[in-house]
């Protein structure tokens, strides 16, 4: 596929919407409106007791408060790990001595360019949170079984949290103690 045009239709501080056209060598064309997003970083913060740090905040598009892993968008020129460190400190006040990439994925590649990267953060030190002016964040430590049950029962419905937790639980056993 070769991109033949990309016309900006809307721009906000978080994303841009473009109308894009692409064509393959056989002449097959794709036309899409695309939400252009710089990407985001997600933090799976796990303490020495194997508890997971979640934050609760009101999500306007979902029209509800959600428990989720801390996360945030990449600033211009910022790498995902840099954003993860910054966002963990801003949203929770914690810093981590150790970071490991768990997974990168596109949450909705049909119309959004955003790529999310989930990091495991361990060796945590508590500090003071510095949320943005439009954020009201509650934080709480959860036992593994609590997160498991909240996902199974539909209390946790945030995709990045489900993906981050299940990736950590299923594939990152060498980075944590057994359950």
């Amino acid at each position: 596929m070769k991109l033949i045009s990309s016309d900006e239709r809307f721009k906000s501080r978080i994303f841009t919407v473009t109308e894009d056209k692409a064509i393959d060598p056989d002449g097959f064309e794709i036309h899409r409106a695309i939400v252009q997003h710089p990407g985001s970083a997600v933090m799976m913060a796990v303490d020495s007791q194997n508890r997971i740090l979640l934050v609760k905040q009101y999500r306007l598009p979902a029209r509800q408060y959600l428990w989720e892993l801390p996360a945030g968008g990449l600033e211009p020129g910022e790498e995902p790990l840099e954003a993860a460190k910054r966002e963990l400190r801003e949203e929770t006040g914690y810093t981590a001595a150790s970071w490991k990439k768990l997974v990168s994925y596109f949450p909705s590649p049909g119309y959004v360019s955003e790529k999310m990267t989930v990091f495991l953060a361990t060796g945590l030190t508590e500090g003071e949170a510095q949320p943005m002016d439009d954020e009201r964040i509650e934080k709480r430590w959860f036992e593994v079984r609590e997160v498991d049950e909240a996902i199974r029962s539909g209390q946790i419905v945030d995709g990045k949290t489900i993906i981050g937790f299940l990736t950590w639980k299923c594939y990152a056993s060498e980075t944590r103690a057994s359950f």
Side-chain angles (χ1 to χ4, degrees):
M1 276 293 162
K2 179 181 178 182
L3 185 65
I4 56 175
S5 68
S6 183
D7 299 316
E8 186 176 299
R9 298 296 185 214
F10 174 81
K11 186 172 184 70
S12 76
R13 70 176 180 85
I14 299 173
F15 62 86
T16 302
V17 177
T18 60
E19 283 191 37
D20 293 4
K21 291 180 187 177
I23 191 167
D24 74 9
D26 296 330
F28 176 72
E29 288 189 23
I30 298 175
H31 302 250
R32 295 283 187 275
I34 300 175
V35 177
Q36 304 288 348
H37 188 283
S40 54
V42 182
M43 291 68 66
M44 178 77 193
V46 179
D47 72 2
S48 60
Q49 298 170 48
N50 227 25
R51 297 178 303 169
I52 297 108
L53 183 61
L54 297 181
V55 294
K56 182 180 179 181
Q57 58 186 317
Y58 188 78
R59 293 300 196 174
L60 188 56
R63 305 288 198 262
Q64 61 183 303
Y65 287 91
L66 300 178
W67 280 107
E68 57 191 66
L69 293 174
L74 277 61
E75 299 293 336
E78 189 175 42
E79 293 296 319
L81 181 56
E82 293 175 84
K85 291 177 179 182
R86 176 181 50 76
E87 287 287 343
L88 183 65
R89 185 180 59 257
E90 287 176 6
E91 290 192 0
T92 71
Y94 281 89
T95 57
S98 179
W99 291 87
K100 179 180 179 176
K101 179 181 169 183
L102 293 177
V103 68
S104 289
Y105 66 97
F106 292 96
S108 191
Y111 66 96
V112 181
S113 68
E114 180 182 21
K115 184 177 188 179
M116 293 187 140
T117 303
V118 182
F119 293 94
L120 174 63
T122 56
L124 301 167
T125 302
E126 191 171 6
E128 188 172 330
Q130 304 158 2
M132 296 174 67
D133 291 341
D134 64 349
E135 292 179 319
R136 298 295 176 264
I137 297 172
E138 176 184 340
K139 64 185 177 193
R140 186 181 140 212
W141 289 100
F142 286 79
E143 300 290 332
V144 172
R145 64 175 169 67
E146 291 178 293
V147 176
D148 236 344
E149 178 53 35
I151 291 170
R152 289 174 194 259
S153 68
Q155 293 173 309
I156 290 179
V157 294
D158 174 63
K160 69 185 173 301
T161 302
I162 295 167
I163 288 171
F165 175 76
L166 294 177
T167 300
W168 171 74
K169 187 176 173 187
C170 293
Y171 300 113
S173 61
E174 70 277 3
T175 64
R176 59 181 165 72
S178 64
F179 296 115

